Amino acid sequence: MAAAGLPVMVQDAPASTGVTLPAPLVVELSKLDGVESAKVETQPTAPKVGAVIDATAGEFPVLGGQNALFVLEEYARGAVGTMPASEFPDLLAPVLRSYLAGAHAEARAAFNRLLPLIRFGLQPGIAWSIHKYVLQRRGVIASATVRAPAVDADAATLAALDLILSDLSL
């Protein structure tokens, strides 16, 4: 890792990799040259984020995952960020700014408004289709077509997503 000269983020993403990294292993990996952070996507995320942060005395940056589903709980346990899908960072940023400013009730209210979209983007098998559809609807990309092994969401699913996007004025 150090020989490559690039920083490494350890990603605990068993749904994608088939491997769960226990918190003590993430802590051990944090000691390796070049390993600069971790992203926790194993549910429940917040306890694992807190365990790694506690074991590293807060000296090792940990981010949450899972489309920011438990971002406020992860922040409460010391997370320094989250890595949701790319279709709504502009909507999530004000939530996190409010939380970090101590306006926790305001942050929760704004976050709760995003929950239907966050939840929708976590559907196994069609998550990438959902993310790309939102990006297309928001004018960021031209096509929502996904490559195998991902599959396109069906028309009824996209109609339900359109209702969520309408509620969010997107």
Side-chain angles (χ1 to χ4, degrees), residues 28-83:
E28 285 305 309
L29 292 171
S30 77
K31 298 173 186 175
L32 297 175
D33 287 340
V35 175
E36 295 188 9
S37 60
K39 178 183 177 189
V40 173
E41 295 196 79
T42 303
Q43 293 291 349
T45 56
K48 186 179 268 187
V49 165
V52 173
I53 289 169
D54 291 347
T56 59
E59 297 295 319
F60 182 67
V62 180
L63 291 84
Q66 288 287 299
N67 213 30
L69 185 60
F70 290 96
V71 68
L72 297 180
E73 293 82 1
E74 293 160 359
Y75 267 53
R77 297 205 187 197
V80 297
T82 189
M83 293 178 69

Side-chain angles (χ1 to χ4, degrees), residues 134-152:
V134 175
L135 288 168
Q136 182 186 30
R137 277 278 311 267
R138 297 191 77 194
V140 177
I141 61 175
S143 171
T145 302
V146 296
R147 294 183 310 242
V151 296
D152 288 316

Side-chain angles (χ1 to χ4, degrees), residues 52-134:
V52 173
I53 289 169
D54 291 347
T56 59
E59 297 295 319
F60 182 67
V62 180
L63 291 84
Q66 288 287 299
N67 213 30
L69 185 60
F70 290 96
V71 68
L72 297 180
E73 293 82 1
E74 293 160 359
Y75 267 53
R77 297 205 187 197
V80 297
T82 189
M83 293 178 69
S86 60
E87 74 271 22
F88 64 96
D90 58 321
L91 305 176
L92 189 57
V95 171
L96 300 179
R97 279 194 295 273
S98 292
Y99 184 86
L100 292 172
H104 295 173
E106 178 183 318
R108 280 192 308 277
F111 178 79
N112 288 339
R113 188 168 178 266
L114 296 177
L115 271 174
L117 178 60
I118 291 168
R119 174 185 66 83
F120 225 78
L122 286 170
Q123 297 181 78
I126 62 168
W128 291 114
S129 178
I130 299 300
H131 303 318
K132 289 188 77 175
Y133 182 79
V134 175

